[in-house]
Amino acid sequence: KWLSLLGSPGLIKVAECNYGCEHGWHVHLHFVLLVDGSCSEADVRQLSGWLFPKWERSLHLAGMPGALPIAQDLHLVDGVEAASQVGEYLNNATAYGTAESLGRELHASWSKQARSDHKTVPHWRLIEEFAETGDTELLALWHEWERDSKGHQQYSVSKGLRDLLLVGPEKSDE
C-alpha cells in the first residue's frame, strides 16, 4: 500500500539481532525506502503513524515485549542535502562516532557494537566469544539463534529494485 502511495520503486530491509544479558534478544529493522520527489514530511509522519503500531502489534503477537520508543524514527532524506543527512544519521547510529557507509549500517551487524546504554552485542559475537572463552552458555545462545532464525530472511530487496538500480542479480549462498 505505502510503496504505491508514495510512488516508491521499493525498499531494502535488513533485520538485525543483538543479545544483551539484561534484556535478552533484541531484534530491530533498518530499511531504506526509496520514494519519488513528491514525498513530504507529512507523508513521513503519516507512514510513521501507521508503521510503528503495526510493528508493536507484531512484536506482541510473537510473544515479545514492545519496541523501544527511542529507536522508532523515520527520516526524510531529500534533495541536495541528502548526502549530509544520511551521513549525519550514520554518524549518530554508529558506535565509532564516524559517518561510515550506508552499506555498513545496513549489512555489517557483525562488525558493529551497540551503544553502551543498551549493552548488547551482535549475535555473531556470541560464537566468537565462545571460541575465545569456551563459555558453554554462549554456545547455547548461539544454538538458540540458529534454531529460531532458521528460515527467516535477514536481508530483502523489493522485486525489481536490483534491476532498476543496475546492481545485477543477487548471488546465491553457494
Side-chain angles (χ1 to χ4, degrees):
K1 169 188 171 185
W2 279 96
L3 293 181
S4 62
L5 184 66
L6 295 173
S8 174
L11 63 90
I12 301 165
K13 180 178 73 173
V14 176
E16 189 173 293
C17 189
N18 295 334
Y19 184 82
C21 293
E22 189 175 335
H23 298 292
W25 293 106
H26 168 68
V27 180
H28 59 282
L29 298 177
H30 296 266
F31 66 90
V32 174
L33 174 66
L34 304 174
V35 297
D36 72 11
S38 65
C39 185
S40 68
E41 289 290 341
D43 293 329
V44 172
R45 283 191 301 277
Q46 189 176 4
L47 173 60
S48 177
W50 171 84
L51 181 64
F52 297 136
K54 184 174 178 153
W55 176 242
E56 188 82 18
R57 281 190 305 275
S58 297
L59 291 173
H60 287 296
L61 287 172
M64 300 159 98
L68 294 172
I70 192 169
Q72 308 302 308
D73 58 346
L74 292 179
H75 301 280
L76 178 61
V77 180
D78 187 18
V80 295
E81 300 287 322
S84 66
Q85 290 176 26
V86 170
E88 185 177 315
Y89 163 71
L90 294 172
N91 187 44
N92 292 331
T94 60
Y96 304 110
T98 58
E100 298 180 49
S101 74
L102 182 57
R104 181 180 184 281
E105 178 64 15
L106 285 173
H107 301 292
S109 66
W110 53 268
S111 68
K112 295 174 4 186
Q113 295 180 18
R115 291 175 286 224
S116 61
D117 53 341
H118 299 303
K119 295 179 179 63
T120 62
V121 295
H123 67 277
W124 299 109
R125 189 67 187 121
L126 298 172
I127 198 67
E128 290 175 341
E129 284 186 28
F130 165 71
E132 294 166 5
T133 66
D135 183 342
T136 56
E137 289 181 25
L138 294 171
L139 181 60
L141 286 170
W142 177 258
H143 287 309
E144 182 179 333
W145 163 257
E146 287 181 318
R147 181 186 69 246
D148 293 345
S149 66
K150 184 176 181 173
H152 293 278
Q153 224 176 8
Q154 182 180 5
Y155 168 77
S156 63
V157 177
S158 295
K159 186 177 181 177
L161 188 57
R162 294 181 69 83
D163 291 336
L164 179 68
L165 298 175
L166 305 174
V167 293
E170 189 171 355
K171 294 181 179 181
S172 73
D173 290 338
E174 288 80 30

